[in-house]
Amino acid sequence: MIVTFLGTSAANAYPEAFCRCDNCQRARALGGPSLRKRSAALIDDELLIDLGPDVMAAAQQHGRPLTRVRTCLQTHGHADHFDASHLLSRSPGYGVAGAPRLHLYASPATLRLAARLLERDTAPGSLFDPEVGDELNLEIHAIEPFQTVTCGRYRVTAFPANHDPAVEPLLYAVESSGRCLFYGADTAALSEETWEAFHRCRLRFDLVVLDHTYGPDEPASDHLSARQVIAHAERLRAEGLLAPGARVLATHIAHEGNPPHPELAAFAQAHGYEVAYDGLSLEVGH
Ligand SMILES: [Zn+2]
Ligand SMILES: [Zn+2]
Ligand SMILES: [Zn+2]
């Protein structure tokens, strides 16, 4: 599995367009990996995690067209992770040629929100109507926490996120070719039932991607902070949940307490993890 990070920022991008804080000013001056779009990831150019507001720009910028995407695992429906207008960007009705059918997986609450957003913005009818699905060239699938589904050559297991319960947010483990990735954003500290489920499902991760919204000196909140990422990486290692050579990467990075990329990467390296950046591609298990 090759994972490409299409975006690695928290809700308001990094730098925030309107912000003159020290971190945003320095990120602007540095450019490169310090410029982050809203979080999304692409696996093998086939499986997209989150149809976020910046995926079109990121696909262009990093030369990763979404023309082969067959599966979208939607973590939740917050605006920095889901943009309903992208569903029209796949529709033959809008002149889109050659796109394979998209299988969109999300929690029931996220699907309901997606349907509301689609109707508000474009009113093609209900997302739950199979005829609308045909028009948009997609099929929706409700997925519940701890459910495992097969999506083409991927085995996907959903876990509950510790995040806005109103949207029933999900985190995902994706297995293929004997490798396993965990994508953990958005979430605060993982629940004990999630830790237990990792063991029950006999998962051993080659790559763990974690929410890193807040920097090293920021308190814990509704998302993970740097200190909590360190603690989660240590616990994963201590509980034998990491395969030999496994990597832990931070994503969903906000300007609040997180310095620009080179500095944050140095901090992470000193604490046993790495920091993803937009356009980073890596092979899971290598
Ligand atoms: Zn988010
Ligand atoms: Zn700022
Ligand atoms: Zn969120």
Side-chain angles (χ1 to χ4, degrees):
M1 283 191 284
I2 310 273
V3 179
T4 302
F5 290 86
L6 294 178
T8 55
S9 86
N12 301 332
Y14 186 154
E16 283 205 20
F18 297 100
C19 182
R20 291 198 206 179
C21 80
D22 186 50
N23 285 338
C24 288
Q25 298 280 50
R26 288 193 298 138
R28 266 180 216 114
L30 283 167
S34 296
L35 305 179
R36 303 180 187 278
K37 293 185 172 69
R38 269 71 66 86
S39 294
L42 183 63
I43 299 177
D44 300 328
D45 295 340
E46 276 179 47
L47 185 153
L48 178 66
I49 300 179
D50 282 346
L51 204 55
D54 294 331
V55 294
M56 298 300 166
Q60 290 173 5
Q61 185 183 341
H62 304 299
R64 312 303 298 212
L66 305 178
T67 50
R68 296 200 290 133
V69 169
R70 292 169 186 280
T71 302
C72 178
L73 305 177
Q74 193 61 43
T75 58
H76 60 309
H78 284 165
D80 57 321
H81 296 260
F82 181 76
D83 180 342
S85 73
H86 293 333
L87 295 179
L88 295 173
S89 306
R90 322 179 4 82
S91 162
Y94 281 68
V96 179
R101 200 159 181 85
L102 180 72
H103 294 269
L104 175 67
Y105 291 83
S107 69
T110 294
L111 287 176
R112 286 195 299 273
L113 177 60
R116 274 207 309 278
L117 292 170
L118 188 70
E119 283 188 49
R120 184 199 67 184
D121 291 348
T122 61
S126 170
L127 189 60
F128 297 98
D129 177 348
E131 275 183 33
V132 170
D134 284 344
E135 203 179 306
L136 298 174
N137 192 18
L138 74 89
E139 236 165 87
I140 56 169
H141 305 269
I143 182 168
E144 305 275 355
F146 309 118
Q147 190 181 345
T148 298
V149 293
T150 301
C151 311
R153 57 199 173 102
Y154 306 97
R155 191 168 183 270
V156 173
T157 305
F159 297 91
N162 181 4
H163 193 55
D164 178 4
V167 291
E168 298 171 2
L170 295 174
L171 311 172
Y172 294 101
V174 180
E175 298 168 87
S176 182
S177 316
R179 301 294 184 183
C180 184
L181 152 79
F182 178 68
Y183 192 87
D186 294 359
T187 190
L190 297 178
S191 66
E192 286 308 315
E193 62 171 352
T194 294
W195 287 97
E196 284 161 25
F198 287 163
H199 290 289
R200 195 171 61 246
C201 298
R202 296 180 185 282
L203 293 172
R204 264 187 120 199
F205 303 114
D206 297 284
L207 178 66
V208 174
V209 180
L210 288 175
D211 188 318
H212 192 294
T213 301
Y214 302 114
D217 300 320
E218 297 284 317
S221 180
D222 53 337
H223 289 272
L224 291 175
S225 67
R227 301 288 169 195
Q228 288 177 299
V229 167
I230 295 165
H232 277 62
E234 281 168 1
R235 182 167 174 185
L236 285 162
R237 213 160 270 130
E239 294 198 12
L241 289 163
L242 297 184
R247 296 167 72 174
V248 176
L249 268 84
T251 191
H252 203 272
I253 291 157
H255 66 154
E256 290 144 296
N258 285 308
H261 185 76
E263 248 173 81
L264 187 61
F267 173 87
Q269 194 185 12
H271 291 87
Y273 69 100
E274 299 168 75
V275 180
Y277 54 88
D278 292 19
L280 170 67
S281 259
L282 55 89
E283 189 170 353
V284 178
H286 291 269

